[in-house]
Amino acid sequence: MTPYLMETLNPSNWAEAEQYLDNRHINPKEICLPLQNPDTGERFEYMISKEESLYSIKHIHLQELYELDPSIVKLMRDQQGAICGLTAIIPIHAGTLDYLLTHPLSSTYFQSLPDHRLKELRVPNEHIAGYFVKTIDVSDFEDVAIRTTAGLTFISLLISSDYVVAAPPDLPFLKDFHLSLGCEQTKSVAHYDYDINTPTPYYVLDKRGSRLQDYLNKMMASFGFVDQSKQQDDGMPMLSEREKEVVGLLVKGYTNQEISADLFITEVTVKKHLTAVFRKLNVRNRTQLVNSYLKKTK
């Protein structure tokens, strides 16, 4: 529990939100975060320069975001009533996808998705396919309570949503934070929207469908628990993890091209995996493979 409350941006607190952003721009602060590794006890420091401390509000335009969806921007208020933080978390659906495809921070990632993936995200406005975290910003990152509130905001989002994409500044502290929560760092997609020189990766948490068990296994392993699912026969123990991913998408009706795009591998590699799977399962074609898969995983 923290003493800070979150409230949605609205006409009554609009001037406070603008003043918060103005103050952040006028008074940038160099940040030093002295932390300790809980496993080894080793002490270390994360340093964030004044310029880097402003990256998280560089592309925040209140009117633009409010018109897109009034629920996107939320303000953090302390016990004295002052605004000490601001978040901009965009729900992904048909009403926001075009914005995400064309605006800084989000455009590079969403433009990299194949058409069938974008179609999955273009759900009606009353539904939400996931969230894009444009920023989680605080006035004083060295304040433990404020920093904790910001962290819990992100953790709550991960718990409540199956699909989250974040584009934080490329800082060691933020990288370690996202990876520790099970997010995957994109390897082939990066943007340059904080400055023109630094390739900044995205962090994605995708728990949709069969990926939920993979995420739970990953987090259990990070805490030293035994991954029980690895010890159980999934009906296809002779296949590699990548081969199982290919088969899983094929069973869903994906073409080789779509599998290639989804797994970020070439179509030639997809065909090699399928050839190996056919041999291992003693089947001749895709239809036999699907039938074999369904029988073994019932």
Side-chain angles (χ1 to χ4, degrees):
M1 300 296 292
T2 69
Y4 301 96
L5 300 176
M6 304 298 293
E7 61 184 58
T8 304
L9 178 67
N10 60 72
S12 65
N13 59 25
W14 194 282
E16 292 179 282
E18 290 184 326
Q19 186 62 55
Y20 171 82
L21 292 174
D22 287 343
N23 290 339
R24 287 280 285 111
H25 283 292
I26 294 170
N27 302 303
K29 180 182 177 183
E30 187 176 80
I31 300 167
C32 175
L33 301 178
L35 300 173
Q36 181 174 339
N37 186 310
D39 298 319
T40 66
E42 178 187 3
R43 294 183 178 277
F44 56 96
E45 292 182 343
Y46 287 107
M47 300 299 298
I48 303 174
S49 69
K50 289 182 179 181
E51 180 183 8
E52 291 169 337
S53 74
L54 295 178
Y55 283 167
S56 56
I57 58 171
K58 183 173 182 179
H59 298 288
I60 300 302
H61 306 288
L62 296 181
Q63 189 66 44
E64 177 182 87
L65 293 171
Y66 188 78
E67 291 175 357
L68 181 64
D69 186 329
S71 69
I72 288 174
V73 177
K74 291 183 172 58
L75 308 178
M76 184 191 303
R77 194 181 292 276
D78 64 21
Q79 288 182 310
Q80 287 70 46
I83 302 301
C84 58
L86 179 150
T87 68
I89 300 174
I90 301 175
I92 304 171
H93 51 61
T96 61
L97 195 55
D98 288 340
Y99 172 93
L100 294 169
L101 283 163
T102 55
H103 283 68
L105 299 185
S106 58
S107 61
T108 303
Y109 174 80
F110 286 95
Q111 288 177 15
S112 75
L113 298 178
D115 289 342
H116 71 278
R117 291 285 301 280
L118 291 175
K119 185 177 180 180
E120 292 174 356
L121 300 177
R122 202 177 286 278
V123 298
N125 290 16
E126 60 269 22
H127 299 291
I128 296 176
Y131 292 91
F132 176 76
V133 181
K134 196 172 183 75
T135 191
I136 297 179
D137 181 73
V138 295
S139 58
D140 185 1
F141 222 70
E142 292 181 341
D143 185 300
V144 175
I146 295 179
R147 192 168 71 241
T148 299
T149 302
L152 289 176
T153 298
F154 186 69
I155 292 170
S156 297
L157 185 67
L158 296 186
I159 293 172
S160 62
S161 177
D162 288 338
Y163 182 58
V164 177
V165 182
D170 189 30
L171 304 174
F173 172 76
L174 295 176
K175 175 181 179 179
D176 290 347
F177 173 72
H178 285 78
L179 293 179
S180 73
L181 294 173
C183 297
E184 297 285 345
Q185 178 179 332
T186 56
K187 295 180 173 59
S188 57
V189 183
H191 68 85
Y192 293 80
D193 295 330
Y194 291 120
D195 63 40
I196 61 174
N197 300 313
T198 306
T200 303
Y202 293 88
Y203 296 89
V204 181
L205 178 64
D206 190 348
K207 298 183 294 182
R208 294 173 295 177
S210 61
R211 298 181 182 92
L212 174 59
Q213 187 60 54
D214 294 336
Y215 173 71
L216 295 175
N217 291 340
K218 179 178 180 179
M219 296 311 295
M220 286 192 296
S222 72
F223 287 109
F225 295 116
V226 176
D227 182 354
Q228 298 293 338
S229 68
K230 297 296 186 182
Q231 300 179 345
Q232 297 172 356
D233 183 3
D234 62 359
M236 309 182 78
M238 70 292 292
L239 301 187
S240 69
E241 291 303 312
R242 178 60 89 183
E243 289 168 349
K244 291 178 183 178
E245 290 178 334
V246 171
V247 173
L249 294 176
L250 184 146
V251 170
K252 292 180 181 180
Y254 284 36
T255 64
N256 286 359
Q257 183 180 13
E258 291 171 338
I259 294 173
S260 167
D262 196 88
L263 299 179
F264 298 103
I265 57 179
T266 66
E267 286 190 64
V268 172
T269 302
V270 173
K271 292 177 181 178
K272 287 182 179 178
H273 284 312
L274 287 175
T275 299
V277 170
F278 289 168
R279 185 184 70 254
K280 291 179 180 180
L281 298 184
N282 193 28
V283 297
R284 296 182 178 180
N285 53 49
R286 299 165 77 96
T287 301
Q288 289 184 0
L289 172 58
V290 170
N291 291 335
S292 177
Y293 177 89
L294 294 177
K295 287 179 181 179
K296 290 178 180 293
T297 54
K298 281 183 179 180

